[in-house]
Amino acid sequence: MTDRALLEAGTESPAFTLPDQDGRSRSLADYRGERVILFFYPEAMTPGCTTEACDFRDSTAPLEAAGYRVLGISRDAVEKLRRFADRDGLEYPLLSDPELSVHHAYGAYGEKNSYGRIIEGVIRSTFVIDAEGRVAHALYNVKATGHVARVRKLLGV
């Protein structure tokens, strides 16, 4: 098992460029000047991840009205992300990180407790990034259900 570095509020957000569900390259730098909600989820089309992704979908309009852009990241292939987006009407970018480089940079991959067993895997995490590219909030080990409501409350949206 590997140790992982955790990001804290005020630190520079690790830069990245990844393909989205349409194969289009998306970079964090593309969103400079905007606030971003970046959420890491374990696997597209699983029950918990679907709940979380759909909660973000249902909150996209108020979040965007408050000046936030939503981006999801998983290790899923672009083709699976396209199916996920089509199946559940997800219109925000879903980014593919199969090599887990961005997961590791954000501390969203490592040891976790899964039903009483310590395993290595994706750690459901959300980061709020300010317009200057700094971490405003780093939320690790979040639960899929109710998480988006918690984020909205934290941001006053």
Side-chain angles (χ1 to χ4, degrees):
M1 299 287 175
T2 57
D3 289 332
R4 61 190 176 101
L6 303 182
L7 297 180
E8 296 180 3
T11 60
E12 187 72 22
S13 300
F16 62 82
T17 300
L18 294 171
D20 69 9
Q21 68 267 34
D22 297 317
R24 178 178 162 209
S25 286
R26 303 273 187 156
S27 297
L28 183 59
D30 297 341
Y31 299 93
R32 186 67 83 157
E34 300 181 78
R35 296 180 293 180
V36 173
I37 297 171
L38 181 65
F39 74 99
F40 290 81
Y41 58 98
E43 187 177 353
M45 296 195 277
T46 58
C49 296
T50 297
T51 295
E52 183 180 25
C54 289
D55 284 352
F56 272 114
R57 176 200 64 205
D58 296 345
S59 294
T60 299
L63 288 168
E64 286 186 350
Y68 293 94
R69 299 289 298 268
V70 175
L71 303 173
I73 296 185
S74 73
R75 59 184 170 183
D76 296 302
V78 168
E79 299 77 23
K80 186 172 184 180
L81 295 178
R82 175 77 267 153
R83 290 193 313 273
F84 189 33
D86 289 346
R87 186 191 77 175
D88 293 302
L90 308 174
E91 296 185 5
Y92 52 83
L94 298 175
L95 307 178
S96 175
D97 182 27
E99 288 81 35
L100 300 168
S101 59
V102 179
H103 284 73
H104 284 291
Y106 279 80
Y109 190 89
E111 284 187 10
K112 65 180 187 175
N113 189 326
S114 179
Y115 303 103
R117 292 180 26 238
I118 301 299
I119 64 166
E120 193 166 43
V122 176
I123 296 160
R124 191 180 306 277
S125 306
T126 299
F127 303 88
V128 178
I129 301 168
D130 70 20
E132 287 75 47
R134 296 200 164 287
V135 175
H137 301 281
L139 308 169
Y140 290 98
N141 298 307
V142 301
K143 302 290 183 219
T145 304
H147 173 60
V148 176
R150 179 179 163 214
V151 170
R152 288 184 62 174
K153 183 175 181 182
L154 178 68
L155 301 177
V157 176

